[in-house]
Amino acid sequence: MKVKNSRMETLKMLISSMELGSQEEVLQALEKEGYKLTQATLSRDLKQLKVAKAASMNGKYVYVLPNETMYKRISKPRSAIEMLQTSGFLSINFSGNMGVIKTRPGYASSIAYNIDNSDIPEILGTIAGDDTIFIVVREGSSRQEVIDGLNMIIPNIN
């Protein structure tokens, strides 16, 4: 099951960062990432992810994930393996007892889930979008205490 989860995450990264217009192109991209699979398996994976085809900016029809507007295409994508090895964290800023964490597209909900399930005493809760997490900081907690608590979830937060 781990292989499938890893493959599905890689597939999501590839679709959100590249313009892939055919299953053959997707299979080739997956193979470059170390996944050799059949067209039938890919077809099932695409169906499970609810992948659709939509016109890109240049008019070419490409695969897109649901709510594609939330997935920002980047001009110089890194390999999917490289992306999966990073936490997705970009920055954190505070205002009063609130904090805003910026992440790469698609990472906010999983990071927020980890924060909520880590029982960090300085954080009351989170709300996550696609690339932004809103955190409520417990009164009397310092910003450094929050960052120290988050360090076990987001290693590069300093």
Side-chain angles (χ1 to χ4, degrees):
M1 194 58 149
K2 262 188 188 172
V3 172
K4 181 177 180 182
N5 289 340
S6 174
R7 183 180 75 236
M8 297 293 266
E9 286 301 312
T10 301
L11 183 56
K12 285 194 287 188
M13 290 292 178
L14 290 170
I15 290 171
S16 65
S17 65
M18 300 171 72
E19 291 195 351
L20 301 168
S22 69
Q23 286 193 0
E24 185 59 38
E25 288 176 7
V26 176
L27 285 170
Q28 289 171 1
L30 281 167
E31 193 165 343
K32 285 181 188 171
E33 297 296 335
Y35 297 95
K36 183 109 175 94
L37 56 146
T38 65
Q39 182 275 327
T41 301
L42 174 62
S43 189
R44 282 190 295 273
D45 288 353
L46 293 173
K47 185 175 181 180
Q48 184 177 341
L49 291 173
K50 296 180 172 51
V51 171
K53 273 196 164 181
S56 67
M57 297 299 262
N58 64 12
K60 177 183 167 191
Y61 279 84
V62 296
Y63 287 108
V64 294
L65 294 166
N67 300 318
E68 182 63 44
T69 56
M70 297 190 321
Y71 289 87
K72 298 176 180 85
R73 293 201 186 271
I74 48 179
S75 56
K76 194 158 184 180
R78 298 183 299 184
S79 74
I81 296 291
E82 209 178 359
M83 288 190 271
L84 290 170
Q85 291 173 343
T86 62
S87 70
F89 168 80
L90 297 176
S91 67
I92 185 168
N93 288 293
F94 294 95
S95 179
N97 73 325
M98 298 176 288
V100 174
I101 298 173
K102 295 301 250 174
T103 71
R104 289 202 337 261
Y107 281 78
S109 61
S110 63
I111 293 173
Y113 175 84
N114 290 337
I115 292 170
D116 289 337
N117 288 294
S118 294
D119 296 321
I120 300 168
E122 295 82 14
I123 297 177
L124 294 175
T126 67
I127 299 174
D130 183 60
D131 62 0
T132 305
I133 304 168
F134 173 75
I135 60 173
V136 178
V137 178
R138 186 177 303 280
E139 280 188 53
S141 297
S142 73
R143 293 173 182 184
Q144 191 56 52
E145 287 173 326
V146 172
I147 289 173
D148 291 345
L150 288 170
N151 197 38
M152 62 186 162
I153 299 160
I154 309 168
N156 57 339
I157 195 164
N158 300 329

